[in-house]
Each structure stands twice: as structure tokens, then as C-alpha cells.
Amino acid sequence: LSNIEKQAIYKTFISYHEGFKKGLLGHHHRGKRNDRDEVDVASLRSKDRYDYIMVDEVQDFIPAQLSAVMQACTDANGFIFAGDTCQTINPGSAFSFDNLRDMFHSRFSTRPKMFTLSTNFRSRSGVVNIANRLVKLLGETFPRSVDQLRDPESQD
């Protein structure tokens, strides 16, 4: 990336981050997420156990929430965790799929099957290409901030 592109990206990030801190951006996600987490964690503390649990946006869960979810399922094969560390909305999140795999192994004494989706069906190739460049830059600058995966491709 050129210095001008880097500066533009940085200004965009600062603007987004300020809006997020003020509650102008992302607040609807945070509100729903917090409300849902309180309900889910409370229900997971009951005696009810589930055969299957699907967790979407797993990158936004903290370890205590993931631990509660893992305790609520009766079968190690009954989980689906889906997420993307490049879409984390919680500032300071330290989530990684390696850590999730280790938590899972500690709880169930087995390694989960992991699948990586490599085709983006939602965005056009131009968007995917710039996103891949940003993720590469992010990974080079902050090596443990995102899981290192093969660059996604666009469907178009």
C-alpha cells in the first residue's frame, strides 16, 4: 500500500473507532449481543443440557462464555463454531481459533474438526482483494491479531 492509501485507511479506522466508542456505530450489535449473552449464560447455568449447539460470530465471545457453552452440550460432536477474526467487533478481543481448539481439547480430550471457508459469496472481487491486502497488513503489523488463513476468493 502507498503512504496515501495507508493514511486514508488509518483516518477511516480512527473515525469508525471514535463513532463506535460514542455508540454511534455498532451499538445495535452490542446491545443485542449483551442482552442475548445474559439470557444465554443464565440458561446455560441451569440443569438443561443440549445435544447440539451452534455458535455464530464466535470471535466476539470471551473465554468464560465459551466455557459455559461447552459445559451445556452433552456431546463433543454437537458443536458448530463459526466466525472470522477479521470481523471482531469487541476492541481488545484476544480470540483465536487456536485458543478455541485448546479449550475444546481441555474440555473434551479430543481435537475438533476445523474447516476454513475460502470463497466469499457476498462481496465482489475488488472488495475481497482490498480486504485481503488489509488483513495481510494487519497480520504483518500485529501477528497474533488475526488467524493466518489462505486469502479468500470472490465468487465473481
Side-chain angles (χ1 to χ4, degrees):
L1 296 175
S2 72
N3 283 337
I4 292 172
E5 290 173 313
K6 290 177 186 177
Q7 289 172 355
I9 291 167
Y10 183 72
K11 284 180 183 178
T12 302
F13 166 76
I14 293 299
S15 175
Y16 174 81
H17 188 65
E18 290 300 315
F20 190 84
K21 285 193 319 189
K22 292 176 183 174
L24 302 174
L25 299 169
H27 66 281
H28 56 285
H29 294 298
R30 289 187 307 179
K32 288 180 183 175
R33 172 127 239 150
N34 290 337
D35 293 345
R36 189 184 75 211
D37 287 347
E38 289 173 16
V39 171
D40 286 351
V41 172
S43 69
L44 293 176
R45 290 181 183 144
S46 71
K47 294 180 183 177
D48 293 336
R49 294 293 178 252
Y50 304 91
D51 295 330
Y52 301 98
I53 296 178
M54 196 281 183
V55 178
D56 194 18
E57 305 296 349
V58 69
Q59 75 276 0
D60 292 319
F61 282 68
I62 62 173
Q65 292 167 320
L66 292 172
S67 179
V69 167
M70 287 183 193
Q71 291 175 23
C73 193
T74 58
D75 183 359
N77 294 314
F79 288 100
I80 296 176
F81 294 103
D84 182 347
T85 53
C86 294
Q87 295 184 18
T88 301
I89 62 170
N90 294 328
S93 173
F95 176 86
S96 76
F97 280 97
D98 287 339
N99 291 344
L100 177 62
R101 184 182 302 127
D102 292 343
M103 280 182 72
F104 194 90
H105 184 262
S106 294
R107 171 83 173 115
F108 296 105
S109 299
T110 187
R111 297 274 179 203
K113 293 177 186 171
M114 305 285 286
F115 302 95
T116 302
L117 302 179
S118 60
T119 302
N120 185 319
F121 294 95
R122 195 175 358 181
S123 301
R124 310 261 322 153
S125 59
V127 172
V128 172
N129 291 339
I130 190 71
N132 289 342
R133 289 173 64 191
L134 289 171
V135 169
K136 182 178 181 185
L137 182 62
L138 183 63
E140 290 170 357
T141 307
F142 304 101
R144 302 204 73 218
S145 63
V146 294
D147 290 312
Q148 298 299 310
L149 305 171
R150 195 176 100 225
D151 284 349
E153 299 171 0
S154 175
Q155 183 63 19
D156 67 353

